[in-house]
């Protein structure tokens, strides 16, 4: 039975990390909210779970995944679940928990990316929090990006495989690739200035994007473009 | 061999969730940074790992745990690891991944709690971001607390055991108890106003705090008090 992914239909957002794992795994899945309402899709199908009108475990927010009767939420949790079933993780426990903590660290970084344009409240528009966004973003680029990127670069230095794990490619590399792609979209100027400081991260992103299944996905209509409603947003005033 | 926990020695913070799981598990552990430097403790012992001067996997930030040669980071990841080894989780996979997503949702909430007093940057003092903190906190109490607390209450309604899991007490309940304790410390007025809306959550917190090992821990010197350097902070101006 195909996996059913539930996520907002018009943005990459956190759901994109799940889409990438499903695509690289080469498994059948339905991106439910992007299907027509007449075929049981649309946002309404997703809300049924969030409202508690569907059986099984209750997700807090999209993305969530349905695998038969199992409903599971939280991006990093879903990624690990799918990856471990389809040979995109590692077999030994030590590196399994390491990969999970690495992806959770990526998720922490993504939350900080989101808050660059929404430092006061996710319920307000960007236009309602522009001065605060400018202040937060400047410090994010100055302090937080180097802290996280240095960490990722050191992980890659230590693994010495060109991937996060010493055993080679895993789903954690998909998370790193997507993070770099998003940052390049949102902050092209800042990223151009610092690219040379993180050569292994840059090479990893290229290498992952060239994997046949990933490349086919990125070139397909299934890959939504980055836009100004998603997690990574390009506001020129935030990227001087 | 005793677990070694690495976390900031003077705050509860995210590390408190790990301490609670270790205490409820009744296992031997060393809270390394709280030990004297002369005995190999202190913050310096923690920094060795963060600086990459220790072997094994590289943690991004505290808390992290050492179990023999294994080094693991990210609070929810550590909690699951310890809980699954000491009968504080569940055996079937469906509820295992559900508990993990629930604790990850608690972690998301805690990140939002942190940003009420640090909406612009964790590298700045609260005094340098007070107007933004006031604005963020008002919306946090108005929109985000009900969203998360309603979710937790619905989880408890659905499980109907008085705990998050339909199988009874698990480590996820420790995370919920600590969250409620922290919110009551940080926002006593706001919490008093809404307590009646979340009766199951309130009862769970009481029930968990009365468990013998938890109660003994909370009454001991090992339990650091809440304070104004931690994740939960009481600033009267943010809790009118």
């Amino acid at each position: 039975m195909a996996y059913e992914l539930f996520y907002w239909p018009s943005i990459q957002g956190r759901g994109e990390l799940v889409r990438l794992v499903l695509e690289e795994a080469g498994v059948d899945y339905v991106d439910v909210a992007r299907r027509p309402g007449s075929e049981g899709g649309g946002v309404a199908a997703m809300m049924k779970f969030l409202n508690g009108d569907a059986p099984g475990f209750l997700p807090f927010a999209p993305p969530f995944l349905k695998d038969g009767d199992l409903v599971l939420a939280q991006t990093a949790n879903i990624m690990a679940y799918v990856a471990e079933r389809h040979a995109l993780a590692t077999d030994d426990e030590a590196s399994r928990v390491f990969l999970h903590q690495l992806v959770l660290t990526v998720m922490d970084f993504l939350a900080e990316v989101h808050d660059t344009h929404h430092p006061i409240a996710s319920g307000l528009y960007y236009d309602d929090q522009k001065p605060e966004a400018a202040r937060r973003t400047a410090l994010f680029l100055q302090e937080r990006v180097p802290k996280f990127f240095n960490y990722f670069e050191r992980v890659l230095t230590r693994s010495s495989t060109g991937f996060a794990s010493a055993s080679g490619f895993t789903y954690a590399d998909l998370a790193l690739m997507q993070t770099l792609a998003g940052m390049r979209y949102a902050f092209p100027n800042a990223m151009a200035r610092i690219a040379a400081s993180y050569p292994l991260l840059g090479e990893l992103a290229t290498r992952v994007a060239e994997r046949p299944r990933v490349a086919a996905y990125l070139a397909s209509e299934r890959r939504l473009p980055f836009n100004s409603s998603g997690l990574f947003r390009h506001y020129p005033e935030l990227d001087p």
Side-chain angles (χ1 to χ4, degrees), chain A:
Chain A
M1 190 150 68
Y3 289 109
E4 292 172 83
L5 169 65
F6 296 80
Y7 195 65
W8 304 109
S10 56
I11 58 168
Q12 290 190 18
R14 287 172 176 80
E16 193 65 14
L17 295 171
V18 180
R19 293 190 184 111
L20 281 166
V21 176
L22 292 165
E23 293 281 346
E24 174 64 23
V27 296
D28 281 342
Y29 74 98
V30 181
D31 202 338
V32 177
R34 291 172 71 183
R35 305 273 298 177
S38 58
E39 296 173 23
V43 168
M46 186 165 84
M47 296 313 295
K48 233 176 66 170
F49 284 85
L50 296 173
N51 292 339
D53 296 331
F57 293 119
L58 204 58
F60 175 70
F64 53 94
L65 187 80
K66 199 164 177 300
D67 179 16
D69 287 338
L70 179 64
V71 179
L72 70 159
Q74 282 281 352
T75 309
N77 193 33
I78 304 170
M79 291 180 81
Y81 177 89
V82 175
E84 288 169 15
R85 264 153 200 76
H86 300 286
L88 297 179
T90 53
D91 290 331
D92 68 299
E93 178 167 52
S95 55
R96 186 182 66 76
V97 296
F98 172 72
L99 287 180
H100 190 46
Q101 79 85 23
L102 179 59
V103 174
L104 287 169
T105 302
V106 171
M107 297 313 299
D108 286 348
F109 181 71
L110 296 188
E112 296 199 20
V113 170
H114 171 272
D115 282 6
T116 58
H117 48 78
H118 279 76
I120 299 301
S122 49
L124 296 178
Y125 291 109
Y126 167 62
D127 280 348
D128 296 325
Q129 47 195 317
K130 283 175 78 165
E132 296 94 339
R135 202 173 167 217
R136 178 153 183 154
T137 303
L139 290 161
F140 168 77
L141 294 173
Q142 188 181 316
E143 295 172 2
R144 303 301 286 173
V145 173
K147 185 171 164 70
F148 279 93
F149 279 29
N150 276 327
Y151 174 69
F152 299 144
E153 190 76 8
R154 286 160 69 208
V155 165
L156 295 174
T157 303
R158 202 173 272 209
S159 74
S160 72
T161 57
F163 298 109
S165 169
S167 66
F169 175 80
T170 67
Y171 74 104
D173 303 308
L174 295 168
L176 291 171
M177 182 278 283
Q178 172 67 10
T179 299
L180 210 63
M183 286 296 291
R184 285 172 176 158
Y185 166 77
F187 303 106
N189 294 327
M191 289 298 287
R193 284 194 294 274
I194 64 171
S197 303
Y198 310 104
L200 297 180
L201 193 55
E203 289 161 24
L204 173 142
T206 304
R207 197 176 294 123
V208 170
E210 286 172 350
R211 291 177 72 85
R213 285 172 173 166
V214 174
Y217 169 64
L218 295 178
S220 76
E221 289 191 353
R222 299 192 301 287
R223 171 77 165 187
L224 294 161
F226 285 110
N227 63 40
S228 292
S229 308
L231 195 155
F232 290 106
R233 302 189 184 185
H234 177 57
Y235 292 122
E237 64 273 23
L238 297 182
D239 182 43

